[in-house]
Amino acid sequence: MNNKIILLVEDNPSDIELTKRALSKSHIANKLVIKEDGQEALDFLFTECSVGRGLLPTLVLLDLKLPKVDGLEVLKRIRTNELTRRIPVVILTSSGEKMDIGTSYDLGANSYIRKPVDFNQFVNAVNGLGLYWLVINEAPGA
Amino acid sequence: MPSNKTAESTAINRQLIELRKRFGTSLYVFFMLSVTLSALAIVYLLYETRQMKISILDDLTAIADLKATQIANWKNERYEDAKQLYETPMLQQMASAYLQHGDSEHSKVLLTQWMNLYYKQNDYSWIALLNPQGQPVLSIPSGNSAPKEDHFVYVKAAMDSLKIICSDLHKDKNSAKVSGEGIYYSFWVPVLNPSNPQSKALGVWLLQIDPTITLYPIINSWQGSSKTAETLLVRRDGNDVLFLNELRHREDTALKLRYNIESNPQLPAARAVQGLSGVMEGIDYRGVKVVSSICGVYGTPWKIVAKIDKSELYLPLRRRIHLVSFIGLVMIILLAMAIREMQRRRDADWLKQQLVLEQEKALLQEEQRKIALEWQSTFDSISDAIWLLDKDNKIIRANKATYSYLSNPDTEIIGNHCWNAVHNLEAPFKDCPYARMANTKQRAISEVRNGDRWLMITIDPILDENKELIGSVHIMRDITSRKLSDEALRESEYTFRELFEHMSSGVTFYEPIDDGKDFRITSINSAGERITKRKREEIIGYRIREVFPGVEEMGLLSVLEKVNATGLPIQYETHYYHDKVLSAYYDNYVLKLETGYIVAIYDDATQRMEAEIALSSLNEELEQRVEERTAQLALANQELEAFSFSVSHDLRSPLRGISGWSQALLDEYEACLDEQGKEYLNRVISETQRMASLIEGLLKLAQISRAELSPLDVDLSALAEEVRDRLLEQATHPQVEFEIQPNLRALGDKDLLEVALTNLFGNALKFSMKRELPKIEFGKVPNQEKTVYYVRDNGAGFDMEHASKLFGAFQRLHKASEYPGTGVGLATVQRIINRHGGRIWAESQSDAGATFFFTLQEQS
């Protein structure tokens, strides 16, 4: 479990911290890689991990509203790349727009979670998704 | 009428003939049959009479003959007895011996035996042997010994003649006291001397026969059942006829009753003794008419007369006549009854037929009467005065309307000339068309002024087969109003002419030529001259294309053709015409007159056209501007939407931060905070929650405004039930009553309607939660022109003063502590209803529940 990396793509520092906190509250101690815009995330996935032979993340938590390259584009690229197309991607966003939800699933998102305002609820949500995707779910393997 | 009378009398005659025929026939038949019957009866009777007479007479003859034969036989038998005595020598010897010697007892015994033999065998009353003195020496019966006076005659005769002497029926004068008794028939037989038969006789045998024993019974027997029939035995006695036996109708006649033959020629007995025989009629001893049969008795002088009363002879005949008559009468009566019955039936049939005929006749008469009445009514209902005139021009009939034409309705006009009756003139009225009609024998018409009235008089001749005038029909019609209307027409014509000349629109009259392919101008008004810039004289009489060459291009020519063909007017507005002189727009109205002329009414529309063109360019500009503005607005809207979206979206992030970090503070630094500090932090967290819901509401509102409507037929009741079920799952009150009217359907977007109902029901639920028994109703207001739905609760309600604020976003009428909420729900509902083209409103009283009404598709 420890060698499983979670990639969090999120531009809001407060949210980053809150997510971290929520993860720790849920006792998810995996390595958390944080990228603060879409481009960075793509670079990480397709350059760093490939070139540096770094491990690909087991789970990507992806915000939709991102600077430079938005979340949906990131998702599209992940799904079109041979290396990354099987990685579970969970959309973690403030938007509850039907359009966003639909498009995300169309592009191959595995889950869509709307970030609750209430922190306790947020913790519950993160706990749930971590438990599911990192423990219960069988990953496709490297 | 005379023909009617004739018909009636003919009918009566016919009836009489019919009656006579019918009854005559019956009577005739009856008479003929009766006569035939009577004749038959008479013939039968005659035949019967003859047969009966023959039979009776045969009987009589047979009786007479039979009795004659019997009597003859009887007499012969007795004579044989006498002859035996005479011719038997032994008896002669014994008798002579006895007479001579008288002592021979032996002879006496023998003789007595012989005599007894005779006496017992036959009807002898006395057998005696007499001596020559006539004294009986031997007799049987022995007591009867007294000699009779007349004996001696016969004794002497027998003794003298030596022959058997027969004494005819004779009366013993001494003994005969009782009728019929003492009458004897005797044989006197001489006893001859055996030694000398030619000598004097020695005595005489007497054989005395009593005729009452055998003879009279023979005569009297065989009378049959007849009451009058009898048989007589008679003989001639000198000039008289003597009756020998006792008669049926009179006593004590034997050898007593006698009639002179000469003086009683009708007496059958007299005829008999005269030697007549056979059947004959006569009058007998009683003076009664009889029929008799006479025959002689052989060997005697006697005659037998068998007779019967003529009246009895015909008695059975009379009975037969009575019977036949009775039968005949009965048959005639039956015949009469049969004929009567037949007659009756035929009468019934005939009467029935007559009744039917009568009814038909009555119907026919009724029909005729009706037709006459109808004609009379027709005649009288015509408003024209109609007279029938005879050939002398006298009025013979006039209808009711006539009297309304007369100045004095009481004027007697029938039988008068019209000039006396109507015009009070001595000669025909000068304008009267009668004279013309009489001359030409054809209809003549005149229009005549009579006082202030105009009359049209029509006279039609009535001609016979030879075209001779036999009368006429005079019809008078009041044409005053027509005359007046003619005048009015002239006036109106003048008016219209003026109008035509002075109206502002141009008017041109066309006459269609070449089968409606071309038109000739016949008239134009002043306005027309002005508008077309042509002088009247330049164009009237010309073909339209000769003077208006641009008319075909303008399209007016085809309009004229169409109007001419269909007869329907056409409005032909704003068409451009141009030629060398003119260049303008025209409004035309083209119509066809009843006379066939085509009329075009037109105005110069150029100025209006220019104004319209200006206006339309202005409009176009305006439209463009509107489009531009709309685009700008749409853009702004879009921006606004994006804004509201991003606002709501982006605002959530910091909120989450605030909430999250407050929570972190609370979690991590709990020890450093006193109760109030914790309280404040909790407030911060809860406020962020509230803001989150506000943002949520705003987002929804924005979504609803943006969402595409996809209207479908929605089962509102089912939808409401779904919403109810979902709400009840979350409801905290255990006893919420929902009442949802079934079968409500509406056209709308199902998702949006669900949102609306969720909000309305949620609201209702929220505000009635504090009731003991919350009740929420959803349904349709009955009897409304438009469909109005309602959601009613029995909750807190609101003050109607604030009703206007109900549907504004973030507007709240209750304290949040009592009834939490964002104030966006009803705004959302209103938006949804509005987007459906409907309306929403509410009615309530504080603390008395609230009712929300809404409609859908009120404006399409």
Side-chain angles (χ1 to χ4, degrees), chain B residues 238 270 308 644 673 746:
Chain B
I308 189 165
S644 87
L673 289 170

Side-chain angles (χ1 to χ4, degrees), chain A residues 14 21 95 97 115-116 118, chain B residues 645 649 656 661 668 689:
Chain A
S14 175
R21 193 178 151 75
S95 166
E97 283 288 294
K115 285 185 265 184
D118 184 80
Chain B
F645 173 66
H649 189 261
R656 194 162 46 249
W661 297 123
E668 311 281 325
Q689 299 283 336

Side-chain angles (χ1 to χ4, degrees), chain B residues 54-77:
Chain B
I54 287 168
S55 146
I56 287 172
L57 293 180
D58 281 353
D59 283 355
L60 276 181
T61 310
I63 287 166
D65 283 352
L66 189 70
K67 287 189 178 173
T69 310
Q70 278 183 335
I71 291 166
N73 287 342
W74 169 79
K75 191 234 152 191
N76 270 342
E77 275 174 30

Side-chain angles (χ1 to χ4, degrees), chain B residues 727-785:
Chain B
L727 287 174
L728 284 179
E729 276 172 25
Q730 302 160 9
T732 50
H733 201 289
Q735 274 186 306
V736 183
E737 191 189 344
F738 259 99
E739 204 175 286
I740 294 169
Q741 190 175 329
N743 303 323
L744 296 177
R745 302 192 79 89
L747 190 69
D749 187 295
K750 193 181 174 187
D751 293 340
L752 292 187
L753 288 175
E754 188 177 346
V755 171
L757 286 180
T758 307
N759 272 304
L760 286 170
F761 285 6
N763 246 16
L765 209 54
K766 184 165 75 187
F767 287 103
S768 52
M769 266 306 165
K770 291 182 181 168
R771 297 283 178 217
E772 224 171 275
L773 292 169
K775 185 176 178 186
I776 295 161
E777 294 164 62
F778 172 57
K780 195 168 85 175
V781 181
N783 308 325
Q784 293 280 319
E785 229 175 87

Side-chain angles (χ1 to χ4, degrees), chain B residues 12 30 221 300 382 421 449 457 505 535 547 618 628 669 729:
Chain B
I12 290 166
F30 178 69
S221 69
T300 67
I382 294 171
R449 183 162 191 147
I457 293 164
S505 296
K535 288 280 167 216
V547 287
L618 211 61
E628 279 166 22
Y669 298 92
E729 276 172 25

Side-chain angles (χ1 to χ4, degrees), chain A residues 4 12 15 21 23 25-26 41 54 61 70 80 88 97 124:
Chain A
K4 289 180 180 170
N12 187 339
D15 277 0
R21 193 178 151 75
L23 285 169
K25 278 234 165 191
S26 308
L61 299 176
D70 76 1
T80 48
E97 283 288 294
N124 287 341

